[in-house]
Amino acid sequence: MNSSQLSSTSFTRRLALSAVGAAALALAAPAMAQANKTVVGVAIPSATHGFTGGIVYWANQAKKDLEKAHPGLQVIVKTAGGAPEQANQLQDLVTVNKINALVIFPFESAALTKPVAQVKAKGVYVTVVDRGLTDTSAQDAYVAGDNTAFGKIPAEYIAKALGGKGNVVAMRGIATTLDNERMDAFNSVLKNHPGIKLLDAKYANWNRDDAFKVMQDYLTRFPQIDAVWAADDDMAVGVLKAIEQAKRKDIKLVFGGAGAKGMIKTLMDGSNPLIQANVSYSPKFIYDSIKLTAEARIKGEKLPANTIIPSVLITKETAKDFYFPDSPF
């Protein structure tokens, strides 16, 4: 074989090797793209009441806005009607959807702690929102409203409105760390007002129908109630309905929370004398949590360990600043 033939053979071989290499790169490209892609799983409760309706609305709004702004980003939103369903969804998000970041609004704290820890153990970045876990090592970041202020502000307002003396009943939400924070803060204020007696505090699951039943029980058992703290505006609606049906005139004040548009409108209009104030706690923080997490992970960055969004007193004078008529909550 002469030198020109050797050169031709060598060139042909190099072409063949180049073709094989190109084909290999082409096959590897989707895998590399998948490896570099940010896939954020969002696990939230179903819209069983107004506040979670707002959570679902804002989560889907975040998906829409973020996927438009970041073409390489995928946001998968899952809603669950209970803790077992949410735990199963976490497994699917990891094994089927191959998420590398999770934003979770836990249905319950204790029941979801181990399932979330298992997700984190597989290398997924975890942001927990609002309802904290019982073991914070299962998360990378925590974003929530100020639950201490959410319990403290109503207690201070009620104590002042009653002149430091009277009977109070309370409605709790679901057994979660945030509910404990709210109740502990409420109780810590009442300790400074010995003339105010907390007659009972039962769970009403942040649900107006459940709150209606609990309030009926309170009205049956207690002949004198001066104020009601319902730790959510949905529950406050159920409370007002029960009071109206019972035609009770002893109750001077019902304090809800989270700034639902219907309650804020009532406060603005002054249409119900029992509604005199509220405390802010917008479900939009799920949008902010998803956005912060997604954009940090795209850059390979982390969030602060804790991000707390302030809760403030809403009065008739300031209510217009908290009224969002287009929001579902």
Side-chain angles (χ1 to χ4, degrees):
M1 188 179 289
N2 60 36
S3 59
S4 63
Q5 288 174 317
L6 281 170
S7 176
S8 175
T9 302
S10 176
F11 178 69
T12 303
R13 190 173 294 155
R14 285 200 303 274
L15 276 177
L17 287 171
S18 296
V20 170
L25 282 171
L27 288 169
M32 290 169 66
Q34 180 64 30
N36 294 327
K37 187 175 183 180
T38 301
V39 183
V40 180
V42 177
I44 54 179
S46 302
T48 54
H49 60 285
F51 189 81
T52 50
I55 291 289
V56 172
Y57 170 84
W58 285 113
N60 284 300
Q61 192 65 39
K63 171 182 170 65
K64 179 182 172 183
D65 292 350
L66 290 167
E67 288 183 343
K68 183 178 179 182
H70 305 282
L73 172 68
Q74 183 181 8
V75 178
I76 301 159
V77 178
K78 300 269 190 183
T79 61
E85 183 183 4
Q86 192 172 54
N88 289 336
Q89 287 175 349
L90 294 184
Q91 291 185 350
D92 289 344
L93 285 167
V94 173
T95 59
V96 178
N97 303 112
K98 310 292 184 187
I99 62 168
N100 40 41
L102 171 69
V103 178
I104 180 168
F105 188 114
F107 200 96
E108 294 175 10
S109 296
L112 269 301
T113 297
K114 186 175 179 181
V116 173
Q118 290 170 341
V119 171
K120 187 173 184 289
K122 291 176 181 175
V124 175
Y125 184 88
V126 175
T127 299
V128 173
V129 183
D130 198 49
R131 301 177 188 174
L133 303 175
T134 54
D135 180 3
T136 56
S137 69
Q139 69 198 31
D140 292 287
Y142 178 64
V143 180
D146 188 344
N147 288 293
T148 297
F150 192 96
K152 181 182 176 186
I153 288 169
E156 291 175 339
Y157 190 94
I158 289 169
K160 186 176 180 181
L162 297 184
K165 187 177 181 181
N167 293 333
V168 178
V169 292
M171 304 262 173
R172 304 185 64 168
I174 291 173
T176 51
T177 56
L178 76 89
D179 182 81
N180 292 338
E181 287 170 28
R182 292 174 178 183
M183 195 70 232
D184 289 347
F186 189 85
N187 284 329
S188 69
V189 172
L190 293 193
K191 284 179 183 177
N192 300 322
H193 300 276
I196 293 180
K197 185 177 181 182
L198 180 62
L199 301 175
D200 204 348
K202 284 189 170 183
Y203 291 107
N205 306 312
W206 293 308
N207 182 282
R208 64 182 63 187
D209 293 333
D210 292 348
F212 175 76
K213 293 171 187 172
V214 172
M215 192 64 201
Q216 281 185 318
D217 171 61
Y218 287 164
L219 292 167
T220 301
R221 289 194 290 131
F222 305 121
Q224 178 65 39
I225 299 172
D226 296 290
V228 182
W229 176 47
D232 175 89
D233 283 333
D234 277 301
M235 292 194 293
V237 170
V239 168
L240 291 170
K241 185 180 176 184
I243 294 169
E244 183 183 357
Q245 281 197 8
K247 295 181 169 57
R248 287 279 287 265
K249 303 298 182 185
D250 49 321
I251 298 155
K252 305 174 184 69
L253 170 66
V254 174
F255 200 119
K261 64 181 180 182
M263 202 61 73
I264 296 299
K265 187 71 165 61
T266 300
L267 182 58
M268 287 167 63
D269 296 344
S271 56
N272 190 327
L274 296 180
I275 303 300
Q276 301 165 21
N278 206 286
V279 60
S280 66
Y281 202 94
S282 172
K284 186 179 179 290
F285 60 55
I286 192 71
Y287 181 104
D288 299 328
S289 303
I290 297 166
K291 186 175 189 290
L292 288 168
T293 301
E295 293 182 346
R297 299 316 292 161
I298 288 168
K299 297 174 187 174
E301 297 173 356
K302 294 184 176 182
L303 299 181
N306 291 285
T307 301
I308 304 300
I309 300 161
S311 291
V312 298
L313 179 69
I314 305 172
T315 63
K316 183 175 182 178
E317 291 70 34
T318 61
K320 63 182 184 300
D321 298 328
F322 298 89
Y323 183 54
F324 305 107
D326 295 333
S327 168
F329 179 72

